């Protein structure tokens, strides 16, 4: 589900990998559909490689998205720009043992915003991979 979905530092939203060359990649915004080049020197993170620190180990982003999906009945999560205490409380309900020293509020907001983008664009698929 998250294969080929990227977050690019300094750029809002999420992107789909379209093509790759030696010095850059071509990405397409999931929200606007616009394509643009991204330098391979930019900080680019693949969502499938992201995990959240907990006191009992790391939780992959796809598992967190699955928990949000279950909690929200397949609908959108609350607004990532909600008040700080509401965002933290929501995340604690999902991942009660997340490491509050390593997982910042900005990280939590990104996770929620990313979920909402993927949910809005119908890119969430939790069916088992054969």
């Amino acid at each position: 589900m998250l294969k080929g979905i990227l977050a690019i530092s300094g750029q809002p939203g999420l992107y789909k990998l379209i093509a790759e060359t030696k010095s850059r990649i071509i990405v397409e915004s999931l929200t606007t559909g616009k394509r643009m080049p991204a330098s391979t020197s930019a900080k680019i993170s693949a969502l499938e490689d992201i995990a959240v620190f907990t006191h009992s180990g790391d939780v992959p982003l796809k598992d967190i998205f699955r928990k949000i999906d279950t909690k929200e009945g397949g609908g959108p999560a609350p607004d990532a720009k909600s008040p700080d205490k509401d965002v933290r409380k929501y995340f604690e309900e999902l991942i009660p043992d997340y490491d509050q020293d390593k997982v910042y509020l900005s990280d939590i907001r990104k996770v929620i915003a990313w979920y909402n983008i993927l949910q809005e664009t119908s890119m969430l698929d939790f069916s088992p991979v054969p």
Side-chain angles (χ1 to χ4, degrees):
M1 161 183 65
L2 299 179
K3 189 164 181 63
I5 306 298
L6 309 171
I8 302 172
S9 183
Q11 298 291 329
L14 293 174
Y15 298 85
K16 179 170 50 171
L17 177 64
I18 301 297
E20 207 170 338
T21 67
K22 290 180 186 176
S23 61
R24 67 176 57 181
I25 61 173
I26 305 298
V27 296
E28 180 178 282
S29 170
L30 294 184
T31 52
T32 65
K34 291 184 180 179
R35 291 185 178 189
M36 67 176 211
S39 169
T40 54
S41 63
K43 182 156 175 22
I44 300 171
S45 302
L47 264 54
E48 66 185 335
D49 297 335
I50 296 175
V52 172
F53 298 113
T54 69
H55 296 292
S56 57
D58 297 346
V59 177
L61 193 56
K62 67 178 180 182
D63 293 348
I64 296 170
F65 287 166
R66 184 177 289 116
K67 288 181 181 211
I68 295 172
D69 187 70
T70 300
K71 181 175 178 58
E72 301 303 332
D79 187 0
K81 295 178 182 174
S82 297
D84 295 357
K85 65 180 176 75
D86 295 343
V87 172
R88 283 198 185 277
K89 182 180 179 209
Y90 181 79
F91 202 71
E92 283 176 12
E93 291 171 4
L94 297 170
I95 315 290
D97 69 334
Y98 82 93
D99 190 332
Q100 296 181 7
D101 294 331
K102 294 181 181 177
V103 181
Y104 301 107
L105 182 62
S106 60
D107 300 327
I108 295 170
R109 289 185 189 280
K110 281 181 197 172
V111 168
I112 294 170
W114 291 343
Y115 171 85
N116 282 335
I117 290 170
L118 293 170
Q119 191 275 333
E120 185 179 296
T121 56
S122 301
M123 295 193 70
L124 291 171
D125 180 10
F126 297 107
S127 56
V129 178

